[in-house]
Amino acid sequence: MSAFASFGAWAQRNRWIWAAIGVLILWLVLSVVTNRFSLSSLSGVMLSASFLTVVGVGQMFVVTTGRGNIDLSVASVITLSAFVALLTVKGQDANLAIGVIAAVVLGLAVGALNSLLIVGLGIPAIIATLATGYVLATATLLSNKAIPGFAVSPALKDLATGRISGVPIMAVIAIIGVAATSFVLRYTVFGQLLSAVGQNRTAARLAGIRNGPVIASAFVISSVLASLDGLLLGAYIGGAFLEMGQPYLLQSIAAVVLGGTLIFGGSATALGTLFASILLILIVTTMQIIGLPPGVQDIVQGIVVIFVLALAGRQALARRASVDLADGDKDATAKTEAGAATVLPK
Amino acid sequence: MSQLAVADQEVAMAVKPAAPARPSVVSLSGITKSFGPTLANAGIDLSVRAGDVIGLVGGNGAGKSTLMRILCGAMWPTLGAISFAGEEVAFAAYDTGEAQRRGIRMVHQELSLCANLSVAENFFLETPGDSASQPGWRALYRTRARAALDAVFPGNGIDADTEVGHLTIAERQMVEIARAAATPGVKLIVLDEPTSSLDLDRSKQLRAFIRERTKAGLAFIFISHKLQEIIDIATEVVVLRNGRTAWQGHAADASIGKLVQLMGGDANPVHQHAVATASSQDVLVRLSGPLTAALGRDIDIVRGEIVGLAGLEGSGQKELLHAIFSPDRKRHAGVSRRAEAGFIAGDRQKEGVFPLWSVLSNISIGALARRSALGLVSDRANRDTATGAAGKLRLDDKRFQSNITELSGGNQQKALVARALVADTPVILLDDPTRGVDIATKQDFYRLCNEVARGGRALVWHTTEDAELLACDRVLVFSGGRIVKELAGEAITEQAIVGASFAQSADGQASAAGKRTALAGFGRKLVNAAPFIGLATVLAIMVAINPAVASTFGLDLLLMPALSLVLVTAAQMFIVGGSEIDLGVGAFAGLVSVLSATLLYDQPSLGALALVAALAAYAGLGGVIQARKIPAIVVTLGASFIWVGIGYALQPTPGGASPDWLTALFGWSIGFMPTSIIMIVAVALIVLAVDRLPLGVVLRGFGNNPAAMIRSGWSPTRYALVRYLIAGLFAGAAGLSLTAINTASDINSGNSYTLLSVAAVVMGGCSLLGGIISPVGAVAGAVTLSLIGALLGTLSVSSDYNAATQGLILIALLTLRSLTADRRSEL
């Protein structure tokens, strides 16, 4: 019994474990039910999941800044980046460096624009990234007309689709990225500041943290990762098409939430995002194996997101309640409001 | 305090012995409430009889608020019983609604009004049901509000049609008190600090009113930190201390000195510390300009001193602290700081703790915040720094790994002080740090303040307990946002502080606020007119280039496709009114379109059933979001996949057919007027009508101040369902219009509307924070956005630029709005 309880306490702090357990169970079930499911087919799932993980980790940074912040522009960034890659690399390995630089610059530019709107002008993140997405959609349409053809640089193609002794290179990249992100979150000052800002923005400001740069860097990281993801995804599918980034919007948010990152901000787990990405791709794969029509696949994905949120919502509620009750005396809030309503004379 | 004391004969009148056989209104017995290890209430008995005025006093954290929340049904006690007129009621069946039915009303400090609603509408929220469904209900509540305000505060001059947000704090407090007093069937009114923002005349009016009403058997509980008022008005006084009843007795037996002593307030803390002399090179903070105009000289805060900030609540003390913390050249030109500053917040949960973190992390962030973001964190180093600070505070370092929320208020406060200490800043700002903190911690705290100041730092200390100011070297007394008096050394007495606080409380505040609203109001008007100006411009350009556009047929051709977006926008507006965003509303319209073109066409009854089911599911979503407190954005995004998935499963490729009656519904014509314009105007009018109905008022109330709505007895889940049901009806109508206009359906036809509707709603002037709905503006915004494509076509610009134009318009508008709105620093 006590082992069970201590596992509960441990799982409370390491929320990624639930997604990992989910992956394990679903994989075992699939292996038993369909004899053809094996480690090698898992590596195929890993490959698809890697693309989701990269954009998911970026989304995770944004979600962790709190206030329900979400980056709605990732889908457009992925699509545009894939087109930009076609335009810059032109299928030549020699142009690869330019392509990578272009992708990074694109990510930086979109991230900077989002940050300007959100941090500089105080526009809610969802509206700001929505507006940016509109602008990028037009850029995508224009570049769609300009692309010379669907040629992919061989080196990039190797990177996106190749394997080292059976393990997809992309999976290795994703895992290294997740490890690096975990380190940043846990052992750098930036990781601590991000968590503080996400938990309680006012307290963070009063503790001396400059919230603006912290929030801005989260949006920049998200855009840059989405942009690099678009570059690789384009190489993986061998080109680019309009709306190719679209599925990654919901899935990236789903991966973040499913992985155990708190949707209210302040606590992130990169490992959870990785496992949740694998789980989501496994679910889609399962549905394909069963032969469900695409419409039903959409329905199941939607239900999974709502269901997980509804479950996680209770945890967050419990946490909120404990904070509320920590101070028995509500006089505090009332007085702050009264105080905030007056202004110093000009 | 002599200048404030009310004439003796009045006191005598108030405590005149009343008739012995008054019936009991409510009685609490053995109330105990624990929050984890702390007892907020411990075995408190309180009995209220008709005609009683119970003065409830106690320091912060003494348990007054907890007790009152239990009395009003907002919280259940751990132990204890409640009975009404001798009849015991189980707490399980007792909530805010039940408390109101039994005639208990509580006046909170200005928090319970919805600032976006008018005075009359706020009266409606408190007492709905009285012919609220009839036309002219507004006039009824207007009259009632006027009468109630005049009854309590003669000559108040408050217009019942004013938005509460435009009233001063004192006026809001008056509205709140009058609202509770006017409730039919009320038996007991709890007044929580009712006079904290009222001047002496209004306070006297209120007390006269209370005396008048007690004769008719109404009972009051009067909570105030102004003890002379308690002694003046109360028939009986209850003193709470550390969650227990410290004393209960007749007001005649109480005196201010006695009450202060009973509350545990150290009546005369020793003045322990004095700075030697202010040397000019050690000036850390300088205050000048209008802030210190009343003194006629600048104020310098130097190393080694403790400066107290005093005055009535909300007179500008907090603002000064924040101005010193983050000097803003434009707003506070008179405040300059020459060394780094740390901040210790007294409102721990809102401004202090990081609830997910351990005590150690909560302390060490103070040092981390001032390091490079790329630096590395080491637990060991953190622990070493924190241990030193914690030791000074007698904070046990064995508790470092506990979650901060598991600590008592006092220990949490110690952690926050430790955070400021590890930050090691020369200036430390304290915002009422001893609020809700036990005596022992307070003593540690005072000792530490002295030690820190003596170590060469400057402390600026805002406190709501005047007695604490006696520990300061200097006290700056605020009134109306300015420093009106500086007291030093022996001159610091409670009497001098209180006297100066009240001296000039009338001026300044109101005029500054007035100017600000006028300026912001003008800017806002300009931005609000933007969708109309935009629409007019777009139409003018198109007519100029192609005059045929101005014909009935031409307008119809242009505007008919806008109808669907207008309907989706109407749906989105109700969601945004509840400070949420629906990312699935377009997909839902697409689903309804598919259902109507397939099932409804083939099997009308089954189709109708499916439509009803879809609507129910959509409304249910709202219920889930509210009940589980989960972010609507993600849930509705998930739901959009469900809607699209269902539609896709039903109809993999575009097709189907529109039922004849549906086509006819959208296809009629009366000749001289374009049908589309009539329908768009009709949609705007319907939304406007719903918004003006009592239902609309309730929905807007929830958008602005859900806590207040719940306190007034409204069910949040029910109204979340209603909100989403209304939105679903509009989105459903949009789906039907899509089918009728296209005479076929496509599950993807509604997708683009989701984001456009958000843009239209924002353009129209609705606040994303909720509570502000502007139907006409949003409709104009929707029409403008849907015309962008046609406009670009007329200008022979590729339709590829459609989305970018829409996005840029949205960005431009939001930028304009953020520049004109008075944005409080949120970051």
Side-chain angles (χ1 to χ4, degrees):
Chain A
M1 270 320 282
S2 73
F4 189 73
S6 68
F7 172 76
W10 182 83
Q12 195 77 42
R13 275 175 286 119
N14 299 276
R15 287 185 299 270
W16 56 268
I17 190 68
W18 300 115
I21 292 174
V23 169
L24 196 66
I25 292 175
L26 197 54
W27 178 59
L28 282 176
V29 169
L30 279 179
S31 306
V32 171
V33 173
T34 69
N35 288 324
R36 59 203 166 99
F37 219 79
S38 63
L39 263 181
S40 72
S41 55
L42 190 63
S43 86
V45 169
M46 273 297 295
L47 180 55
S48 308
S50 304
F51 294 106
L52 179 53
T53 306
V54 173
V55 54
V57 165
Q59 189 71 264
M60 181 184 76
F61 276 97
V62 169
V63 168
T64 306
T65 60
R67 298 259 170 110
N69 281 358
I70 284 175
D71 188 349
L72 291 181
S73 66
V74 287
S76 308
V77 174
I78 291 175
T79 314
L80 182 58
S81 169
F83 277 107
V84 168
L86 287 179
L87 283 171
T88 51
V89 182
K90 299 192 184 87
Q92 308 286 319
D93 280 349
N95 297 331
L96 193 53
I98 302 172
V100 172
I101 291 171
V104 172
V105 168
L106 172 69
L108 288 175
V110 175
L113 177 60
N114 282 337
S115 304
L116 176 74
L117 297 175
I118 294 157
V119 178
L121 294 171
I123 296 171
I126 172 159
I127 302 294
T129 53
L130 164 68
T132 323
Y134 275 138
V135 177
L136 294 180
T138 287
T140 314
L141 287 172
L142 296 179
S143 48
N144 185 29
K145 285 187 179 155
I147 49 167
F150 291 113
V152 174
S153 129
L156 200 58
K157 180 108 190 156
D158 285 348
L159 197 65
T161 58
R163 285 163 198 258
I164 298 172
S165 59
V167 181
I169 300 176
M170 261 313 286
V172 176
I173 294 177
I175 289 169
I176 292 174
V178 164
T181 308
S182 300
F183 180 81
V184 167
L185 290 174
R186 175 69 184 83
Y187 292 105
T188 65
V189 173
F190 173 72
Q192 299 298 301
L193 299 187
L194 182 70
S195 172
V197 170
Q199 289 178 65
N200 188 339
R201 216 169 266 194
T202 313
R205 184 172 60 80
L206 294 177
I209 298 172
R210 288 168 63 227
N211 293 354
V214 175
I215 297 168
S217 38
F219 280 93
V220 170
I221 290 172
S222 170
S223 294
V224 169
L225 286 180
S227 185
L228 289 174
D229 204 43
L231 175 79
L232 291 163
L233 195 64
Y236 176 64
I237 62 174
F241 59 92
L242 296 175
E243 308 285 306
M244 69 181 262
Q246 217 52 45
Y248 287 93
L249 177 55
L250 178 73
Q251 286 192 342
S252 67
I253 300 169
V256 170
V257 177
L258 204 58
T261 295
L262 294 184
I263 190 76
F264 296 105
S267 170
T269 154
L271 197 56
T273 305
L274 173 70
F275 280 117
S277 300
I278 301 171
L279 183 58
L280 281 170
I281 300 292
L282 257 182
I283 290 173
V284 172
T285 314
T286 312
M287 288 190 291
Q288 281 164 354
I289 292 174
I290 301 173
L292 291 180
V296 179
Q297 294 181 22
D298 282 340
I299 300 175
V300 171
Q301 285 198 43
I303 289 174
V304 166
V305 170
I306 296 178
F307 185 71
V308 169
L309 266 180
L311 274 185
R314 199 181 50 182
Q315 274 182 7
L317 267 187
R319 175 167 72 82
R320 289 266 159 106
S322 75
V323 177
D324 282 349
L325 298 180
D327 275 24
D329 208 322
K330 263 282 168 61
D331 280 352
T333 9
K335 280 178 185 162
T336 324
E337 297 281 331
T342 41
V343 283
L344 284 173
K346 297 225 160 96
Chain B
M1 259 171 238
S2 59
Q3 63 265 61
L4 291 166
V6 186
D8 282 343
Q9 55 266 45
E10 270 186 53
V11 177
M13 268 168 57
V15 297
K16 201 165 49 184
R22 282 172 299 153
S24 161
V25 176
V26 60
S27 136
L28 292 166
S29 56
I31 296 295
T32 298
K33 176 75 190 177
S34 65
F35 297 114
T38 47
L39 280 181
N41 284 171
I44 297 178
D45 297 321
L46 181 69
S47 167
V48 186
R49 290 163 305 163
D52 270 348
V53 179
I54 294 184
L56 183 62
V57 297
N60 289 306
K64 293 172 299 188
S65 298
T66 306
L67 187 65
M68 288 304 108
R69 265 188 274 172
I70 291 169
L71 177 64
C72 296
M75 184 184 272
W76 289 337
T78 316
L79 292 169
I82 187 168
S83 60
F84 290 87
E87 168 210 357
E88 187 153 326
V89 175
F91 271 109
Y94 189 67
D95 57 11
T96 47
E98 183 61 26
Q100 296 196 346
R101 275 189 290 282
R102 291 183 177 271
I104 297 183
R105 278 291 186 283
M106 175 146 181
V107 177
H108 302 265
Q109 303 187 333
E110 115 281 334
L111 266 172
S112 292
L113 297 173
C114 292
N116 62 335
L117 303 180
S118 74
V119 174
E121 286 169 334
N122 269 290
F123 267 73
F124 155 74
L125 290 179
E126 192 69 10
T127 47
D130 302 350
S131 46
S133 49
Q134 291 171 14
W137 63 276
R138 218 172 278 268
L140 178 82
Y141 284 99
R142 195 178 298 136
T143 324
R144 184 181 283 186
R146 270 258 54 86
L149 277 165
D150 288 341
V152 190
F153 301 104
N156 54 70
I158 298 172
D159 179 0
D161 285 327
T162 320
E163 227 175 75
V164 168
H166 295 157
L167 298 178
T168 65
I169 295 181
E171 285 171 331
R172 288 188 209 188
Q173 199 156 28
M174 287 154 67
V175 170
E176 184 120 25
I177 293 168
R179 186 172 78 156
T183 318
V186 66
K187 290 181 186 134
L188 167 65
I189 298 178
V190 180
L191 298 164
D192 187 4
E193 299 285 0
T195 58
S196 60
S197 313
L198 299 184
D199 60 30
L200 202 51
D201 286 340
R202 295 290 178 215
S203 166
K204 275 185 181 161
Q205 283 181 345
L206 174 63
R207 279 176 276 161
F209 174 77
I210 292 177
R211 278 191 203 102
E212 191 59 37
R213 293 299 300 270
T214 48
K215 285 183 197 146
L218 189 60
F220 289 88
I221 293 179
F222 196 100
I223 303 172
S224 179
H225 66 270
K226 296 178 186 168
L227 296 176
Q228 71 277 11
E229 285 183 357
I230 295 277
I231 292 177
D232 168 41
I233 190 66
T235 52
E236 201 176 322
V237 177
V238 174
V239 182
L240 294 186
R241 180 178 180 176
N242 293 334
R244 292 168 198 279
T245 313
W247 186 76
Q248 188 161 6
H250 286 292
D253 303 332
S255 69
I256 292 181
K258 181 177 176 183
L259 290 179
V260 168
Q261 202 185 354
L262 284 164
M263 282 157 61
D266 199 350
N268 20 289
V270 200
H271 188 255
Q272 298 154 306
H273 169 69
V275 67
T277 39
S279 51
S280 61
Q281 65 267 32
D282 277 347
V283 174
L284 297 179
V285 178
R286 171 164 288 165
L287 310 176
S288 57
L291 189 63
T292 56
L295 294 177
R297 62 195 154 79
D298 294 353
I299 291 175
D300 290 334
I301 297 172
V302 301
R303 254 177 220 289
E305 70 169 339
I306 305 177
V307 177
L309 306 181
L312 296 182
E313 270 302 328
S315 299
Q317 303 95 310
K318 259 177 173 304
E319 285 69 21
L320 177 62
L321 279 188
H322 286 277
I324 297 176
F325 184 67
S326 42
D328 177 343
R329 289 260 147 259
K330 265 186 282 174
R331 280 181 60 198
H332 311 296
V335 179
S336 66
R337 169 162 64 79
R338 291 168 196 175
E340 280 220 75
F343 200 102
I344 300 174
D347 188 350
R348 289 176 288 279
Q349 41 173 319
K350 272 178 93 179
E351 303 180 339
V353 301
F354 297 108
L356 297 175
W357 273 353
S358 67
V359 177
L360 178 60
S361 299
N362 262 287
I363 294 174
S364 46
I365 189 73
L368 294 183
R370 287 168 177 81
R371 283 178 50 193
S372 154
L374 298 174
L376 295 185
V377 179
S378 133
D379 278 352
R380 181 180 298 273
N382 282 347
R383 182 173 279 276
D384 291 346
T385 0
T387 310
K392 280 189 195 157
L393 286 158
R394 299 186 194 158
L395 178 66
D396 190 356
D397 64 2
K398 285 195 193 76
R399 303 212 60 178
F400 273 4
Q401 293 308 325
S402 315
N403 187 288
I404 185 94
T405 55
E406 290 166 17
L407 264 59
S408 69
N411 280 333
Q412 285 185 16
Q413 192 66 58
K414 282 185 181 176
L416 295 191
V417 174
R419 182 191 294 168
L421 291 181
V422 300
D424 200 24
T425 53
V427 180
I428 296 182
L429 308 165
L430 306 112
D431 184 8
D432 208 4
T434 57
R435 176 159 49 194
V437 163
D438 57 277
I439 291 284
T441 306
K442 277 185 187 171
Q443 296 302 342
D444 284 351
F445 187 79
Y446 300 146
R447 189 176 41 74
L448 186 80
C449 281
N450 262 311
E451 207 177 299
V452 168
R454 211 169 288 138
R457 292 185 223 186
L459 269 57
V460 183
W461 185 352
H462 162 230
T463 171
T464 48
E465 277 182 51
D466 290 344
E468 285 185 352
L469 293 163
L470 303 182
C472 298
D473 304 306
R474 271 197 293 167
V475 171
L476 307 176
V477 185
F478 279 75
S479 180
R482 291 164 191 226
I483 298 170
V484 293
K485 187 114 185 164
E486 180 183 7
L487 302 167
E490 297 302 315
I492 304 174
T493 61
E494 279 198 68
Q495 196 168 336
I497 293 164
V498 174
S501 315
F502 277 99
Q504 315 174 24
S505 59
D507 64 343
Q509 214 162 320
S511 65
K515 215 194 303 170
R516 190 175 54 128
T517 17
L519 198 74
F522 176 73
R524 229 171 276 143
K525 251 180 218 153
L526 203 71
V527 176
N528 286 350
F532 305 104
I533 299 171
L535 181 56
T537 317
V538 169
L539 280 175
I541 295 173
M542 291 176 71
V543 172
I545 293 173
N546 180 2
V549 166
S551 68
T552 305
F553 178 73
L555 280 175
D556 227 10
L557 205 64
L558 267 181
L559 294 177
M560 205 60 191
L563 179 63
S564 306
L565 178 59
V566 166
L567 282 165
V568 176
T569 302
Q572 187 73 266
M573 186 161 50
F574 280 98
I575 306 292
V576 169
S579 69
E580 288 169 353
I581 288 177
D582 187 341
L583 289 184
V585 68
F588 184 74
L591 173 62
V592 169
S593 172
V594 167
L595 285 174
S596 63
T598 54
L599 280 181
L600 193 63
Y601 184 78
D602 300 329
Q603 294 156 283
S605 54
L606 185 65
L609 203 67
L611 285 177
V612 171
L615 199 59
Y618 187 85
L621 208 61
V624 170
I625 289 168
Q626 173 60 41
R628 307 292 301 182
K629 299 267 187 303
I630 44 185
I633 293 173
V634 187
V635 173
T636 52
L637 186 63
S640 76
F641 273 63
I642 301 181
W643 310 140
V644 169
I646 297 174
Y648 202 64
L650 278 173
Q651 192 193 42
T653 52
S658 167
D660 292 337
W661 60 267
L662 189 59
T663 314
L665 199 61
F666 288 89
W668 49 271
S669 165
I670 53 166
F672 63 92
M673 187 85 172
T675 317
S676 53
I677 292 188
I678 298 175
M679 287 202 282
I680 288 170
V681 169
V683 173
L685 288 178
I686 292 171
V687 177
L688 208 56
V690 173
D691 191 42
R692 294 291 289 173
L693 284 178
L695 174 65
V697 172
V698 174
L699 289 178
R700 270 186 289 147
F702 266 111
N704 178 263
N705 193 344
M709 296 298 293
I710 294 166
R711 249 182 235 155
S712 297
W714 300 90
S715 153
T717 308
R718 182 184 310 158
Y719 280 91
L721 281 170
V722 171
R723 182 189 302 283
Y724 275 78
L725 183 64
I726 295 174
L729 284 170
F730 279 105
L736 294 179
S737 76
L738 278 174
T739 306
I741 294 166
N742 302 332
T743 62
S745 69
D746 173 4
I747 181 61
N748 291 317
S749 58
N751 286 357
S752 64
Y753 290 144
T754 302
L755 301 185
L756 279 177
S757 70
V758 177
V761 165
V762 172
M763 270 178 80
C766 303
S767 163
L768 285 171
L769 296 174
I772 298 172
I773 277 185
S774 60
V776 184
V779 167
V783 175
T784 312
L785 284 175
S786 67
L787 285 181
I788 297 292
L791 175 70
L792 293 180
T794 319
L795 296 172
S796 11
V797 176
S798 157
S799 64
D800 291 348
Y801 290 94
N802 203 345
T805 315
Q806 290 166 341
L808 289 175
I809 289 176
L810 184 57
I811 292 177
L813 261 178
L814 284 170
T815 308
L816 262 176
R817 190 168 302 159
S818 95
L819 293 178
T820 52
D822 56 333
R823 180 160 64 101
R824 268 192 215 135
S825 100
E826 287 282 345
L827 295 171

